[in-house]
Amino acid sequence: MNLTLHVWRQAGPDAPGRMVRYEAADISPDMSFLEMLDVVNERLMQTGDSPIAFDHDCREGICGSCSLMINGVAHGPNPGTATCQLHMRSFADGDEIHIEPWRARAFPVVRDLVVDRAALDRIIAAGGFVSAATGSAPDGNATLIPKDTVDTAMDAAQCIGCGACVAACPNGSASLFTAAKITHLGLLPQGQPERLQRARRMVERMDIEGFGGCTLYGECQEACPKMISIDTITRMNRDFLRASMTPVRAAVAESD
Amino acid sequence: MELRSRVPGGPIERKWDTHRFEMKLVNPANKRKHTVIVVGSGLAGGAAAASMSELGYQVKCFCFQDSPRRAHSIAAQGGINAAKNYRNDGDSIYRLFYDTVKGGDFRSREANVYRLAQISVEIIDQCVAQGVPFAREYGGLLANRSFGGAQVSRTFYARGQTGQQLLLGCYQALEKEVARGGVTMFPRTEMLDLIVIEGRARGIVARDLVTGRVSTHLADAVVLGTGGYGNVFYLSTNAKGSNATAIWRAHKRGAAFANPCYTQIHPTCIPVSGEYQSKLTLMSESLRNDGRVWVPLRGGDRRPPGEVPEAERDYYLERRYPSFGNLVPRDVASRAAKSVCDEGRGVGPGGLGVYLDFADAIRRVGAGTIRERYGNLFEMYQRITDENPYEVPMRIFPAVHYTMGGLWVDYNLMSTIPGLHVIGEANFSDHGANRLGASALMQGLADGYFIVPSTISDYLASAHPTPVDPSHPECRRVEAEVAERTRRLLAIRGKRTVDSFHRELGSIMWDKCGMARNAAGLNEALRRIPELREEFWRNLNVPGSDAELNQALEKAGRVADFLELGELICRDALHREESCGGHFREEYQTEDGEARRDDARFGYVAAWEYTGDLAAPRLGKEPLEFEYVHLAQRSYK
């Protein structure tokens, strides 16, 4: 396959960026999208150019490192597929492909296609956990958890933290990311004691980080490589609403 | 170099308890005066950082990824073992201990393995408490599945994403401590050297991968949880960034490297599809619960799998190993796949593949149940190969997956450099010459949550580290060495890219030191690797500068280290004139092609010391004694 790429190049966070055209010749349809970029980079380096920087690591669709807006779609055209699992057989010979970084106020560009997603870590730090200090746990079977409950929690817990939901959202909202964690932990008995304060703190943190609000466009669930549903956002909103109407001390008591 | 294992006395069941009582403690008010550096944020590093912060230590945690949640533990699929005996199928701590020592082909330290089996039980409890959504039965109890090398069902799992869920539990605990102020996180920061002052590990030199700034971080103890070195083979199931730099730098500062030749080749991976291939993808061993492995009976049979009648199929694992069948340990399954392919019976392009067939299982339990058990793995397989495994058998082939070798550690998980602790895959400790499935997650978390937080207190209470200043001449010296190395990499301006060197090294390693090894091949590798290294330092092309995000420069530093480590791996493989676990020397096999150990000559841990000359490392030996598990030829027949 022969392809024409238009790639966002930006030398650093404060440098101006622009789209640059590259010809990608002799690409195998069995290559992954990132392997195609590897080939382009090898050729760039052989001619003394600087390679295109992009984030990637596991290349199995689970670490959440890879990103890329491909022809304006986060993670490219295939539903439920991260960029590293997208293969060139999804494109046709002669295609023009536009490749850009995640674009969101809360995700500043570091270089080329690499963005800073540390804001997502700070949302988790604000409350996306169960406080269970090492050594304090009861037996794993001490609390029975219905299979349906744990399966639904797992659907949300699959989030890989890639940030596609933010990139896809016209508002640059991290609601799907945040709601996935709130849903995962909020469904399980272990997550109940901190449930309301978790929702309040994580949502507040999302605002502080500069993510937009959710107006239910639904673009996030289309882009999500784990196909996490926006039903989780409904749950987040419910928990957040309850938390905001409950005084802090009482909220703690109530969620007990 | 002294290799004192510091295994406590007394009966094996009591050793860890006795030791925990005998170890010194740091009082709660003094803990906050101590700083501990943790490098790596996977299951081992992340768990250690979170747990030590909960205890009250000041922790600085480093990872090269943009977030600690991306460490490669996240990709573990199948599960985590624990001796809960929830199935009432005869499991016990002793049986998990026994299976692991046997599975490791009698090349691990008994006391460490016993402790691992003891702690396995607490790990599950800890993870459940954190909200890890382990699979459950309809009644609400935890579910289990079987894994290779065991005849009990002791593996806990969260679909095919167990590593992800365990790591997220650990990462969330870590972020909780970040918010509380106990842990300072340094993402996109790579350790490039270790600082040793007065014989003790006191810090690291690290490079900020975004700005290129190199700086010194000091502490009272250093913990490395930086994973394995499978990427020395270029193609492996490891993440692209997984590297050996932290442990290799520590080795060159005095930490002994144990059993480097013990590498695990995982039997069920998606075969290589082309030259451009950048990594290999594992299909979880759990698939062998329901999938049947076969090849055509006749060589050169090119019919599609569906047209090969039952009578003309060879279910070779079930045939050769009737009692374990498709669930033999990984080393055995990989070698069997290699031998049927060597006989010309392999399937798929190049004949480098065997079938993993679910047709019988789908007939037995229905496609819905199979989808529930392995749905995400089947989808991943289809995305990569464009074939539907519900309809045609998967094609699989062995690939490099895990390294049992690593830095030598004593019972306290401390290396030969006092103050330097090594945990998880980065150390050599618990898996001997072969790791059983679902045991890596168990070991990483045992080391991180439960062992190192205890033993580090004992170290700090005994060593009384005195404050060190960043202006100490040793810090200045190591920083200057790191800067010089980076400058040299950038100054070569040669013709070949880093990846081209890495691929070439990988192909030498795979051909000469892969699934089967022999003296002639290893000697050839030992000649070619130094030549390649010499060319690397003469003809490498790294574009850009050191004052920016420069991914080619990052890779160059890692590949430079792989080019040195590769040589040590081959040297270790050459010296070990026996076959054991993942180390199969063609000269040493039984009549029916199984590994033949030589306990009299090689019943020891080979711990290599860096002498300043890569061609002449010094070999230290820690003898292995088996008081509890009787030394025997492994049999899964």
Side-chain angles (χ1 to χ4, degrees):
Chain A
M1 298 165 76
N2 296 308
L3 305 161
T4 303
L5 310 181
H6 301 271
V7 183
W8 182 260
R9 302 301 308 261
Q10 181 174 339
D14 304 317
R18 66 195 176 94
M19 297 298 282
V20 178
R21 181 189 164 107
Y22 298 100
E23 299 303 326
D26 298 325
I27 298 300
S28 157
D30 289 329
M31 283 180 187
S32 72
F33 198 84
L34 299 183
E35 284 168 346
M36 183 273 293
L37 285 180
D38 289 343
V39 168
V40 171
N41 273 344
E42 284 288 294
R43 293 175 189 164
L44 284 176
M45 283 190 278
Q46 271 151 14
T47 55
D49 283 333
S50 79
I52 302 158
F54 61 92
D55 266 324
H56 65 100
D57 202 22
C58 79
R59 298 200 175 191
E60 295 179 17
I62 195 74
C63 75
S65 295
C66 66
S67 51
L68 308 188
M69 291 303 272
I70 300 169
N71 291 335
V73 181
H75 288 304
N78 294 358
T81 304
T83 295
C84 66
Q85 295 288 286
L86 174 65
H87 284 69
M88 297 314 291
R89 65 180 81 94
S90 299
F91 297 87
D93 187 34
D95 274 2
E96 300 219 358
I97 306 176
H98 290 76
I99 309 171
E100 295 169 82
W102 285 167
R103 305 247 185 228
R105 185 153 58 121
F107 289 167
V109 172
V110 175
R111 185 186 182 118
D112 297 340
L113 304 171
V114 175
V115 299
D116 180 355
R117 289 171 285 192
L120 298 182
D121 291 327
R122 293 189 289 269
I123 292 176
I124 297 295
F129 48 78
V130 171
S131 299
T134 305
S136 58
D139 186 86
N141 264 343
T143 305
L144 300 179
I145 309 176
K147 183 175 186 307
D148 286 351
T149 305
V150 87
D151 285 350
T152 314
M154 181 66 196
D155 289 341
Q158 292 189 79
C159 168
I160 58 174
C162 62
C165 47
V166 179
C169 177
N171 302 338
S173 173
S175 285
L176 191 65
F177 169 83
T178 309
K181 190 47 64 191
I182 286 171
T183 300
H184 159 210
L185 298 176
L187 276 168
L188 297 173
Q190 303 93 305
Q192 297 313 309
E194 293 162 297
R195 180 169 162 189
L196 295 188
Q197 95 174 331
R198 174 182 311 118
R200 197 183 64 250
R201 287 181 179 171
M202 290 180 76
V203 171
E204 282 170 2
R205 189 74 225 175
M206 189 166 65
D207 291 342
I208 293 168
E209 295 291 344
F211 292 102
C214 173
T215 47
L216 292 173
Y217 278 102
E219 293 285 342
C220 52
Q221 73 175 3
E222 297 303 314
C224 177
K226 291 294 169 189
M227 301 172 107
I228 293 169
S229 157
I230 52 171
D231 292 354
T232 56
I233 298 180
T234 317
R235 176 171 269 277
M236 171 177 81
N237 288 342
R238 200 177 63 204
D239 279 3
F240 180 71
L241 194 65
R242 246 178 85 198
S244 24
M245 292 189 304
T246 317
V248 175
R249 283 288 289 273
V252 173
E254 189 186 326
S255 51
D256 285 345
Chain B
M1 182 180 61
E2 203 189 1
L3 297 171
R4 279 185 54 207
S5 67
R6 294 188 172 80
V7 171
I12 200 157
E13 301 82 6
R14 298 285 310 150
K15 283 182 196 288
W16 178 231
D17 274 355
T18 310
H19 191 60
R20 275 200 292 183
F21 178 70
E22 286 170 353
M23 280 191 293
K24 290 187 182 159
L25 301 174
V26 176
N27 98 47
N30 284 340
K31 284 202 179 89
R32 72 178 85 97
K33 297 176 190 158
H34 288 292
T35 302
V36 180
I37 283 175
V38 178
V39 187
S41 64
L43 286 180
S51 302
M52 291 192 294
S53 170
E54 286 164 4
L55 285 175
Y57 295 115
Q58 288 294 320
V59 177
K60 294 169 101 179
C61 182
F62 296 77
C63 67
F64 70 79
Q65 299 90 341
D66 71 328
S67 161
R69 69 181 289 154
R70 311 219 193 276
H72 194 53
S73 306
I74 199 126
Q77 297 170 353
I80 176 167
N81 287 331
K84 283 283 199 185
N85 194 30
Y86 283 158
R87 301 269 82 73
N88 193 31
D89 57 358
D91 202 7
S92 63
I93 287 169
Y94 202 92
R95 186 176 297 281
L96 176 54
F97 156 69
Y98 174 88
D99 286 347
T100 307
V101 170
K102 178 186 169 197
D105 216 354
F106 304 93
R107 288 293 174 266
S108 49
R109 201 188 275 146
E110 274 192 336
N112 284 54
V113 179
Y114 194 88
R115 174 177 63 185
L116 177 66
Q118 282 177 305
I119 292 174
S120 71
V121 174
E122 292 170 71
I123 294 171
I124 300 303
D125 301 340
Q126 178 62 32
C127 297
V128 168
Q130 290 170 341
V132 170
F134 283 121
R136 301 223 168 215
E137 311 286 356
Y138 281 102
L141 295 164
L142 289 158
N144 290 105
R145 57 168 59 140
S146 307
F147 254 65
Q151 288 175 314
V152 293
S153 245
R154 62 159 75 98
T155 304
F156 295 77
Y157 63 100
R159 296 190 190 152
Q161 291 139 277
T162 317
Q164 180 199 27
Q165 293 309 314
L166 295 175
L167 184 64
L168 292 182
C170 174
Y171 154 76
Q172 287 159 203
L174 181 65
E175 290 296 339
K176 170 174 69 79
E177 291 305 300
V178 168
R180 199 185 57 80
V183 176
T184 310
M185 197 61 224
F186 294 83
R188 288 201 202 271
T189 307
E190 181 165 26
M191 168 180 166
L192 293 181
D193 219 326
L194 179 74
I195 294 173
V196 181
I197 295 174
E198 290 162 7
R200 293 177 184 280
R202 294 309 303 269
I204 63 169
V205 172
R207 179 171 180 269
D208 178 324
L209 299 180
V210 175
T211 63
R213 202 172 144 260
V214 169
S215 54
T216 296
H217 300 266
L218 295 170
D220 299 317
V222 177
V223 179
L224 300 184
T226 52
Y229 49 88
N231 272 348
V232 70
F233 291 84
Y234 187 72
L235 285 181
S236 81
T237 65
N238 286 7
K240 291 297 285 176
S242 301
N243 69 83
T245 289
I247 54 172
W248 189 249
R249 297 281 120 199
H251 171 61
K252 292 181 85 171
R253 296 282 169 201
F257 206 120
N259 301 332
C261 79
Y262 292 164
T263 45
Q264 174 161 87
I265 318 279
H266 196 292
T268 50
C269 300
I270 300 178
V272 175
S273 72
E275 281 293 306
Y276 48 81
Q277 190 103 23
S278 63
K279 76 152 282 158
L280 295 170
T281 302
L282 175 79
M283 289 283 103
S284 168
E285 174 165 321
S286 61
L287 293 170
R288 290 197 271 142
N289 270 292
D290 287 302
R292 298 179 70 195
V293 177
W294 65 275
V295 290
L297 210 47
R298 279 187 297 112
D301 187 339
R302 290 276 164 265
R303 287 176 291 179
E307 291 173 20
V308 181
E310 256 331 281
E312 292 172 43
R313 298 176 175 193
D314 180 11
Y315 293 90
Y316 58 89
L317 289 178
E318 297 170 26
R319 173 174 58 79
R320 284 177 65 176
Y321 307 100
S323 57
F324 280 71
N326 292 297
L327 284 173
V328 291
R330 292 174 175 178
D331 54 335
V332 176
S334 289
R335 268 199 301 283
K338 179 179 188 298
S339 70
V340 296
C341 292
D342 287 349
E343 290 160 21
R345 297 197 286 145
V347 298
L352 292 175
V354 300
Y355 291 126
L356 180 61
D357 197 336
F358 293 88
D360 282 353
I362 290 173
R363 266 195 297 278
R364 193 176 68 244
V365 298
T369 305
I370 294 297
R371 181 169 289 115
E372 182 143 288
R373 286 181 191 160
Y374 314 110
N376 68 316
L377 300 171
F378 277 42
E379 282 164 29
M380 183 152 75
Y381 181 84
Q382 186 161 9
R383 267 199 292 273
I384 293 173
T385 62
D386 210 18
E387 290 175 358
N388 180 356
Y390 292 98
E391 288 163 10
V392 283
M394 287 184 177
R395 281 178 300 110
I396 53 162
F397 195 68
V400 173
H401 179 55
Y402 185 91
T403 50
M404 282 73 70
L407 294 185
W408 184 89
V409 288
D410 64 13
Y411 189 73
N412 291 326
L413 305 182
M414 190 159 81
S415 70
T416 51
I417 302 174
L420 180 70
H421 294 70
V422 190
I423 58 179
E425 190 179 351
N427 74 24
F428 87 107
S429 78
D430 296 356
H431 307 296
N434 174 57
R435 178 174 67 73
L436 290 180
S439 289
L441 304 184
M442 171 172 72
Q443 186 224 336
L445 290 179
D447 289 2
Y449 281 134
F450 295 104
I451 302 173
V452 97
S454 301
T455 58
I456 211 119
S457 295
D458 181 52
Y459 170 75
L460 294 169
S462 322
H464 300 294
T466 48
V468 197
D469 193 89
S471 63
H472 191 284
E474 187 58 20
C475 304
R476 294 282 79 83
R477 193 173 72 86
V478 176
E479 245 183 67
E481 283 179 26
V482 167
E484 170 58 16
R485 208 171 119 83
T486 307
R487 192 199 60 74
R488 270 181 70 204
L489 287 168
L490 286 162
I492 305 167
R493 299 284 174 210
K495 295 260 185 293
R496 286 182 65 179
T497 60
V498 183
D499 268 5
S500 86
F501 284 104
H502 196 178
R503 277 177 203 276
E504 188 173 340
L505 172 68
S507 98
I508 298 173
M509 295 299 297
W510 179 248
D511 291 345
K512 308 298 175 197
C513 199
M515 267 190 285
R517 303 149 177 196
N518 61 54
L522 290 166
N523 277 312
E524 190 191 330
L526 286 169
R527 183 177 56 71
R528 283 172 61 194
I529 294 169
E531 285 171 11
L532 186 65
R533 194 165 61 225
E534 186 274 328
E535 193 198 340
F536 176 90
W537 285 101
R538 178 168 51 73
N539 195 24
L540 174 71
N541 171 23
V542 182
S545 79
D546 67 345
E548 58 185 344
L549 178 73
N550 186 340
Q551 293 171 324
L553 176 63
E554 294 164 24
K555 268 195 226 167
R558 296 167 192 165
V559 172
D561 289 332
F562 282 140
L563 282 162
E564 298 183 354
L565 169 59
E567 185 175 342
L568 185 68
I569 294 173
C570 293
R571 214 168 283 290
D572 185 44
L574 181 64
H575 115 280
R576 189 167 281 279
E577 295 175 335
E578 65 163 350
S579 293
C580 58
H583 170 65
F584 189 77
R585 280 285 297 269
E586 288 168 343
E587 305 95 315
Y588 309 98
Q589 50 183 309
T590 61
E591 275 174 12
D592 48 357
E594 303 292 339
R596 198 174 75 217
R597 288 199 325 266
D598 184 343
D599 296 324
R601 286 176 66 213
F602 293 100
Y604 59 78
V605 176
W608 298 90
E609 189 183 357
Y610 180 66
T611 57
D613 176 4
L614 289 166
R618 193 176 299 123
L619 174 61
K621 297 177 184 177
E622 180 200 337
L624 291 170
E625 281 150 31
F626 294 88
E627 285 180 64
Y628 294 86
V629 184
H630 183 59
L631 268 172
Q633 175 79 41
R634 263 192 329 163
S635 171
Y636 292 95
K637 290 195 187 253

